[in-house]
Amino acid sequence: MEIVKENGPITGEHIADKLNLTRATLRPDLAILTMAGYLDARPRVGYFYTGKTGIQLLADKLKKLVVKDYQSMPVVVHENVSVYDAIVTIFLEDVGTLFVTDDNHHLAGVLSRKDLLRASLGKQELSTLPVNIIMTRMPNITMCKKEDLLIDVAKKLIDVQIDAVPVVKETDSGYEVIGRLTKTNITKAFVALGDQGEKLT
Ligand code: ADP
């Protein structure tokens, strides 16, 4: 990196000369530095120093992560399902948030753990109380699209103080639920970024 910083743009061959190494020996190292973003390579020009710090490079990487690579399968219930059945579904499917759809399979609402706990505190009969009475309903649903940036969805989760958003596809008549993006998905992305960094050092 020092050599490139002082002499760039410089060809791989010239760098190898300066280090008394062969081009082939140097190739994997240059590939790693280029992949990590510290150096850039232009064909027939050579390597040059990008001037980016580690934290800038990490931010660049983070801003390239998109929802579709990290989303999970959505767990969906119909709006007429009882609160009792929704609670059973949350346990069986091992999720914290359910998405609620209407007869047209369009997004109608969201049910969180606390929504279900709150309903359970009341005197109502849970097996006859439909979830559409207690859910957070459209149009007050925060959602995202599969091509959205993960960082933007993470900011939304913080701003609105929620654990999950449905990944939706907009149609003429409503929103179709195609995925689920949760704090867990974002934590996994965070860990994957950290692991990538380890591989490069
Ligand atoms: P919990 O209630 O288990 O803490 P959340 O923080 O996700 O879970 O939910 C808080 C409240 O926000 C609940 O009333 C829930 O219905 C609502 N909510 C959850 N996700 C969304 C969403 N994507 N859009 C709008 N409201 C939501």
Side-chain angles (χ1 to χ4, degrees):
M1 276 176 62
E2 286 301 324
I3 292 171
V4 177
K5 217 190 266 185
E6 276 167 29
N7 306 281
I10 176 168
T11 63
E13 219 152 280
H14 284 131
I15 302 171
D17 281 349
K18 283 183 185 288
L19 293 168
N20 282 327
L21 294 169
T22 65
R23 176 90 225 277
T25 310
L26 208 57
R27 195 168 290 133
D29 300 70
L30 287 171
I32 287 173
L33 290 174
T34 309
M35 225 161 53
Y38 290 106
L39 300 184
D40 210 343
R42 291 224 185 98
R44 282 184 296 279
V45 179
Y47 291 92
F48 57 91
Y49 182 64
T50 59
K52 288 195 174 170
T53 61
I55 198 79
Q56 281 172 319
L57 292 167
L58 181 65
D60 286 352
K61 278 242 159 77
L62 193 60
K63 285 185 213 145
K64 282 190 193 124
L65 305 183
V66 284
V67 166
K68 71 170 183 308
D69 297 325
Y70 294 92
Q71 71 188 49
S72 309
M73 292 294 288
V75 179
V76 173
V77 293
H78 186 270
E79 61 181 338
N80 292 341
V81 151
S82 70
V83 170
Y84 183 95
D85 285 344
I87 293 173
V88 172
T89 305
I90 270 202
F91 280 104
L92 286 180
E93 301 284 347
D94 197 15
V95 291
T97 310
L98 298 176
F99 303 124
V100 185
T101 50
D102 59 21
D103 287 338
N104 300 317
H105 306 286
H106 292 140
L107 179 64
V110 172
L111 281 171
S112 76
R113 280 178 277 227
K114 262 183 249 152
D115 293 332
L116 296 168
L117 271 177
R118 195 183 305 112
S120 310
L121 286 176
K123 293 269 182 283
Q124 304 105 313
E125 175 55 45
L126 299 185
S127 55
T128 52
L129 180 67
V131 291
N132 65 13
I133 306 287
I134 67 151
M135 68 188 187
T136 300
R137 64 188 57 251
M138 287 290 277
N140 300 320
I141 305 296
T142 304
M143 42 198 164
C144 73
K145 303 231 162 81
K146 69 178 192 320
E147 46 291 311
D148 285 350
L149 293 179
L150 211 58
I151 180 105
D152 291 337
V153 181
K155 284 180 189 160
K156 269 191 204 175
L157 292 183
I158 292 170
D159 284 351
V160 194
Q161 297 182 15
I162 50 176
D163 292 347
V165 293
V167 184
V168 297
K169 193 167 127 194
E170 195 168 359
T171 69
D172 290 343
S173 43
Y175 294 98
E176 205 182 299
V177 183
I178 58 169
R180 168 170 67 99
L181 200 100
T182 69
K183 286 180 177 172
T184 305
N185 298 129
I186 292 165
T187 308
K188 283 184 179 161
F190 174 83
V191 170
L193 266 187
D195 283 350
Q196 259 186 39
E198 256 169 39
K199 275 187 209 125
L200 290 174
T201 55

